[in-house]
Amino acid sequence: MSLHDETEADTRAERIDPVLAAAGWGQNGSKVRREVICPGRIQSGGTRGKGLSADYVLIHKGQKLAVLEAKRAGVSHRNGVGQAKDYATRLGSRYAYASNGLNWYQIDMASGAEGDMDLPFPTPEELWDRTFVDQNDWRERFGAVDFETDGGKWELRYYQHKAINEALEAVAKGDRRILLTLATGTGKTSIAFQIAWKLFQAKWNLTGEPVRRPRILFLADRNILADQAYNAFSAFPNDTVTRIDPDTIRKNRGKPPKNASLFFTIFQTFMTGDGDPVYTQYPSDFFDFIVIDECHRGGAKDESEWRRLLEYFEPATQLGLTATPKRKLNADTYAYFGEPVYTYALRDGIEDGFLTPFKVRQMASTIDEYVYDGTDDVIAGDINVGDSFTEDDFNTRIIIEDRELSRVKEFMSQMDQRQKTLVFCATQDHAALVRDLINQVKDSTNPNYCHRVTANDGAVGDQHLRNFQDNAKTIPTILTTSQKLSTGVDALNIRNIVLMRPIRSMIEFKQIIGRGTRTYEGKDFFTIWDFVKAHMNFSDPEWDGEPLPPDEPPNGPRLPPTGPPEDEPSGGDGGGPDDPPPREKIEVKLSDGKVRKIQYIKTTTYWSADGKPISAAEFLKCLFGELSGIVADEDQLRTVWSDPDNREHFLRQLSDRGYDADRLSDIRRLVDAPDSDLFDVLSYILFMNPPKTRQNRAENVRSGGMAKTDGELKDLLLAILAAYEASGESELASKKLGTFLTARYGSVNEGKEKLGGLAAIKDAFRSMQATLYSD
């Protein structure tokens, strides 16, 4: 076999694998594995963008020390250098290699040194010593503990593996304050579990010697978060895990449990007590390691009770988990913990395909603001002619039920009412009103279709939430809330998030968006229905990157309050203070004429390849640029589009550039050609050709383009044309031909017998399409 006949698989098996084996890789605990780094961005129709896979990942003592990208022997080994660097960066590997089995190239990702290298390939111990110049006993002990994967039933994602190792490296070096910043839905609890697992099994503790198991505390600020974590740690022996809650303390005669290794509680429980707070019943050096979940929400704020709690346990190593990058409003958190040892942003999760992408429907209306002119009925409160009200005032200072009803009708009429939905309202009273309005206009006959879940709903609301989170249950379908559900809702199949109150900060905005990003089978995207101009938050640089500049524009968003909204008890568990007496609010009933005149202007925000919001015009301009790079002229577009296989390849090219079927469908609407073939839409964008309708194209084929076809074969083609008119060019794909034959004749084989063989059918199918796109 010549070099040029050799495949990459041959090169790997016959040239690269033996070199690695000779160096000891895959032996004595070291591992060599092919790793799927990410599956690719989720796209419409159950498809995905281009995923990433590393040919070789070299693992020793739990660390991914190197990445090796292989190319077949007949091409240059340098062809794999770019991929190797990309994969090593993602995985956190110190070394990247590229080889065609004949030549080898090495990159030190830390020093930047690179160049051709001679064999032999470094052994696992050699690569370990090169990666970690400083020796550390705890690093070695952590590496000797395998990750807990339930017998191999699941694998850590690459960023989870990196986050865990970065945190453990900080622990091994003696760091006492550690921060991990990962987007909502990326598995922070799983990461915390694996860190705790390694600490527990390695017998790490504050004495510095492996003489006992550590005592680990998991702190949250909501019961639902503490409960989720408690359940996620089920791999630990039962007698090592306990919950610190009022029932446990009461059964223990007022004393919190101490005979365990892992403790789970919420701040509110820890800070209460008959006299001194519960946490003071533990010695300050009792816990070796403390995990603070959602630490940005106040645990590290200066002069807060939470901060005093953390400072009481000052000897413990403390790990903060947050989904929000550093900005003005959580600067105290970062000052306390320091810069994160690892960050994985929301945009990264969406592009990698671990999180679900989304659309934003901007719902501007003629009643976004209100000026009282004396013609409407004032039901309660004092109001003067000329008084004006903006979004921040609605449902806090003034209530106009007609306005809220119009909004409910608007989003309910446009969305699939069977899809699970969260609606964020201004106050708990507003959440109750919206709940009732939704139940009044719903198509469903089930009285439990929509429920409110807020702090005041207590155990009943928590049960509604549990039912909502159960993917096997369809009721309740919609939950309304004010603050409580902005975090802690681990529901996979949320398809709609409706914003009916202003979002006061980027931190809160990202938390709310995170309610919909979790992946679920058949969930290609979720939709944000934005009635309150929250989309302006996307103007933040990368909208999960650097902080906003100090000075806001004159009409910019208001700064958030220092505490929770006044109608939502702290923590959202129902364990905070009672609601203050309600202020008298103005209630107005609109005149019939004004109700009938309420109108909505709907626009959709699109996203560029780098994750930034762009207008419809910019979106089309980007597409024009992409098309110009693929299609040279009109004749080439027509030639490509006329052949079903070439058309599929062309569409895959567009999809890899971010223009999947769903976005291409949006483009039809943007150029006002909903009934046109996508070919005509693209031809219009590129060459300004007036788009024809699918009906017009099909009629041209029926009237003169099928003269050489008759009988059963003609009937089949006419049926395909009818399907094309109704549903579009997707009906002309090669894979659809078998579907048409089965539907018409019972099976493909039966159709072949009736129509004279598959070759004749395919020829007629292709010929018909050539005619369809001939002009």
Side-chain angles (χ1 to χ4, degrees):
M1 179 188 297
S2 71
L3 288 181
H4 293 289
D5 293 330
E6 193 171 301
T7 66
E8 184 179 306
D10 295 330
T11 298
R12 293 182 58 183
E14 297 173 17
R15 300 180 187 274
I16 297 177
D17 290 356
V19 169
L20 295 178
W25 287 98
Q27 306 162 34
N28 301 320
S30 67
K31 298 176 183 178
V32 180
R33 57 178 292 179
R34 182 179 180 89
E35 177 163 335
V36 176
I37 296 175
C38 63
R41 182 185 175 102
I42 297 171
Q43 298 178 338
S44 60
T47 62
R48 284 184 178 268
K50 188 177 181 180
L52 298 176
S53 295
D55 290 332
Y56 296 88
V57 178
L58 307 182
I59 305 171
H60 188 47
K61 299 179 183 178
Q63 299 278 356
K64 296 177 181 178
L65 301 181
V67 174
L68 168 58
E69 185 62 22
K71 297 299 176 185
R72 61 185 178 87
V75 301
S76 171
H77 65 300
R78 300 178 190 279
N79 289 2
V81 169
Q83 287 172 277
K85 288 183 177 182
D86 178 31
Y87 300 160
T89 300
R90 290 171 180 268
L91 300 181
S93 300
R94 170 73 181 268
Y95 290 95
Y97 294 91
S99 176
N100 62 358
L102 302 172
N103 300 294
W104 297 72
Y105 196 87
Q106 175 183 268
I107 305 103
D108 183 336
M109 300 296 292
S111 70
E114 60 180 88
D116 287 326
M117 60 169 282
D118 296 324
L119 296 179
F121 195 84
T123 67
E125 284 299 331
E126 288 173 340
L127 213 54
W128 177 273
D129 291 340
R130 292 184 193 177
T131 300
F132 301 108
V133 178
D134 62 313
Q135 299 299 311
N136 187 296
D137 289 341
W138 281 117
R139 183 192 297 132
E140 298 273 350
R141 291 190 181 107
F142 295 152
V145 178
D146 288 334
F147 291 107
E148 168 53 41
T149 60
D150 195 13
K153 291 181 181 178
W154 60 282
E155 291 289 339
L156 290 171
R157 296 169 176 174
Y158 81 88
Y159 64 84
Q160 294 173 332
H161 188 281
K162 190 172 180 181
I164 293 162
N165 277 341
E166 291 292 348
L168 289 172
E169 180 69 11
V171 172
K173 291 179 177 178
D175 293 348
R176 302 280 290 282
R177 302 292 177 263
I178 305 167
L179 183 65
L180 289 174
T181 301
L182 296 104
T184 299
T186 53
K188 290 192 292 295
T189 303
S190 296
I191 289 169
F193 163 79
Q194 295 291 350
I195 293 170
W197 180 261
K198 291 230 176 190
L199 296 176
F200 180 83
Q201 299 296 346
K203 293 186 177 180
W204 173 89
N205 60 77
L206 290 179
T207 69
E209 296 295 332
V211 294
R212 64 171 174 82
R213 308 280 192 192
R215 289 186 286 265
I216 300 172
L217 173 66
F218 189 97
L219 265 177
D221 69 344
R222 299 189 180 184
N223 277 314
I224 189 169
L225 297 176
D227 290 341
Q228 285 175 182
Y230 180 83
N231 294 331
F233 281 59
S234 59
F236 284 91
N238 288 337
D239 61 353
T240 65
V241 182
T242 190
R243 186 80 157 81
I244 306 173
D245 57 24
D247 286 343
T248 304
I249 294 171
R250 188 164 47 252
K251 291 175 183 177
N252 204 27
R253 298 181 180 180
K255 298 181 182 295
K258 296 181 180 179
N259 189 23
S261 292
L262 292 106
F263 302 77
F264 297 82
T265 192
I266 61 173
F267 283 102
Q268 292 88 334
T269 297
F270 239 26
M271 293 187 297
T272 56
D274 292 337
D276 294 330
V278 167
Y279 70 83
T280 60
Q281 296 189 45
Y282 291 94
S284 61
D285 62 352
F286 182 82
F287 296 108
D288 300 281
F289 194 80
I290 300 177
V291 179
I292 303 95
D293 193 24
E294 305 288 2
C295 63
H296 62 273
R297 284 216 295 270
K301 283 184 179 178
D302 287 327
E303 301 178 0
S304 73
E305 186 69 28
W306 292 2
R307 177 67 173 265
R308 283 193 286 275
L309 187 156
L310 296 181
E311 289 177 341
Y312 176 82
F313 292 115
E314 188 275 337
T317 296
Q318 298 176 11
L319 170 67
L321 302 177
T322 181
T324 59
K326 184 179 179 180
R327 39 194 16 99
K328 292 181 297 180
L329 300 175
N330 63 350
D332 289 340
T333 298
Y334 280 74
Y336 182 80
F337 287 102
E339 292 301 310
V341 296
Y342 183 68
T343 297
Y344 188 71
L346 177 58
R347 188 183 67 180
D348 297 329
I350 290 175
E351 291 305 315
D352 283 346
F354 295 120
L355 297 176
T356 305
F358 55 91
K359 295 180 177 181
V360 180
R361 297 298 302 276
Q362 300 167 23
M363 311 294 287
S365 79
T366 54
I367 197 167
D368 285 351
E369 297 183 0
Y370 174 74
V371 177
Y372 179 65
D373 62 5
T375 63
D376 301 319
D377 293 333
V378 179
I379 299 173
D382 296 323
I383 187 171
N384 299 313
V385 172
D387 285 352
S388 62
F389 302 88
T390 62
E391 191 65 56
D392 286 333
D393 300 314
F394 288 108
N395 302 295
T396 55
R397 289 181 57 210
I398 184 171
I399 298 171
I400 304 178
E401 185 173 325
D402 299 315
R403 176 182 185 269
E404 306 311 306
L405 178 59
S406 74
R407 289 185 165 189
V408 167
K409 287 181 177 179
E410 189 69 17
F411 73 77
M412 289 288 284
S413 66
Q414 295 184 49
M415 74 180 196
D416 184 342
Q417 293 191 21
R418 298 168 297 179
Q419 295 178 343
K420 290 190 176 181
T421 299
L422 291 178
V423 184
F424 289 90
C425 304
T427 65
Q428 296 192 64
D429 287 342
H430 184 215
L433 170 62
V434 172
R435 172 203 60 198
D436 296 342
L437 295 175
I438 289 172
N439 282 324
Q440 290 168 25
V441 305
K442 69 184 188 302
D443 295 335
S444 171
T445 58
N446 194 306
N448 292 305
Y449 175 79
C450 179
H451 277 292
R452 183 186 74 163
V453 177
T454 64
N456 283 355
D457 294 301
V460 173
D462 289 342
Q463 184 58 54
H464 292 321
L465 177 56
R466 284 191 288 271
N467 292 338
F468 180 83
Q469 290 175 299
D470 188 338
N471 295 311
K473 295 180 179 178
T474 59
I475 297 296
T477 307
I478 298 180
L479 297 182
T480 67
T481 188
S482 53
Q483 295 289 324
K484 183 171 183 177
L485 302 186
S486 61
T487 58
V489 183
D490 192 8
L492 304 181
N493 200 19
I494 293 174
R495 303 297 184 100
N496 297 284
I497 292 175
V498 183
L499 303 178
M500 296 182 70
R501 67 167 169 84
I503 307 301
R504 294 181 171 87
S505 74
M506 174 59 79
I507 292 175
E508 182 185 27
F509 182 65
K510 284 176 62 62
Q511 290 289 337
I512 289 174
I513 297 304
R515 300 310 99 214
T517 55
R518 286 172 172 82
T519 58
Y520 189 74
E521 184 178 356
K523 180 181 173 182
D524 300 333
F525 65 91
F526 67 98
T527 302
I528 300 165
W529 301 84
D530 180 11
F531 289 92
V532 292
K533 298 181 175 62
H535 62 275
M536 295 174 68
N537 282 297
F538 292 118
S539 298
D540 188 1
E542 297 184 358
W543 72 276
D544 56 358
E546 296 301 316
L548 288 167
D551 296 324
E552 297 285 356
N555 296 319
R558 298 179 178 180
L559 290 176
T562 55
E566 61 185 19
D567 80 322
E568 192 82 27
S570 176
D573 280 278
D578 293 333
D579 286 352
R583 296 169 296 179
E584 184 180 19
K585 296 175 183 175
I586 302 165
E587 291 187 43
V588 171
K589 181 173 177 55
L590 298 179
S591 64
D592 289 343
K594 287 185 180 177
V595 171
R596 287 195 295 270
K597 288 181 180 179
I598 296 176
Q599 294 182 344
Y600 286 84
I601 303 170
K602 299 171 284 292
T603 58
T604 301
T605 299
Y606 298 89
W607 307 98
S608 63
D610 59 0
K612 294 182 179 179
I614 55 177
S615 67
E618 291 171 321
F619 183 58
L620 287 176
K621 185 177 180 180
C622 290
L623 176 60
F624 178 84
E626 298 285 0
L627 290 171
S628 299
I630 303 173
V631 179
D633 52 40
E634 186 177 349
D635 288 339
Q636 184 186 2
L637 177 63
R638 192 180 305 279
T639 299
V640 167
W641 203 263
S642 298
D643 181 274
D645 294 333
N646 289 338
R647 183 170 63 244
E648 286 300 307
H649 176 70
F650 176 74
L651 289 172
R652 280 196 298 273
Q653 286 183 290
L654 286 180
S655 181
D656 287 342
R657 288 164 166 79
Y659 300 94
D660 59 14
D662 199 59
R663 286 192 170 190
L664 293 176
S665 179
D666 284 343
I667 290 168
R668 276 188 235 265
R669 292 192 290 272
L670 286 177
V671 301
D672 196 25
D675 299 321
S676 292
D677 192 294
L678 185 56
F679 167 81
D680 290 289
V681 173
L682 300 180
S683 182
Y684 172 75
I685 293 171
L686 280 172
F687 313 115
M688 293 304 293
N689 292 329
K692 298 179 180 180
T693 65
R694 295 192 300 272
Q695 182 182 14
N696 180 260
R697 286 194 173 277
E699 188 56 41
N700 288 341
V701 175
R702 280 192 291 260
S703 61
M706 304 181 70
K708 297 180 181 179
T709 309
D710 56 17
E712 287 274 355
L713 188 52
K714 183 175 182 179
D715 290 341
L716 173 66
L717 296 180
L718 289 173
I720 294 173
L721 273 177
Y724 160 76
E725 278 187 274
S727 303
E729 64 280 341
S730 61
E731 299 297 319
L732 304 179
S734 295
K735 61 186 177 183
K736 293 287 287 190
L737 185 55
T739 304
F740 284 114
L741 290 172
T742 301
R744 195 168 185 85
Y745 300 106
S747 70
V748 173
N749 286 335
E750 197 70 28
K752 288 185 331 189
E753 288 184 16
K754 285 271 191 183
L755 303 175
L758 192 57
I761 299 170
K762 285 185 175 180
D763 284 345
F765 185 62
R766 290 174 178 272
S767 177
M768 185 261 289
Q769 295 195 42
T771 304
L772 186 69
Y773 298 111
S774 60
D775 59 6

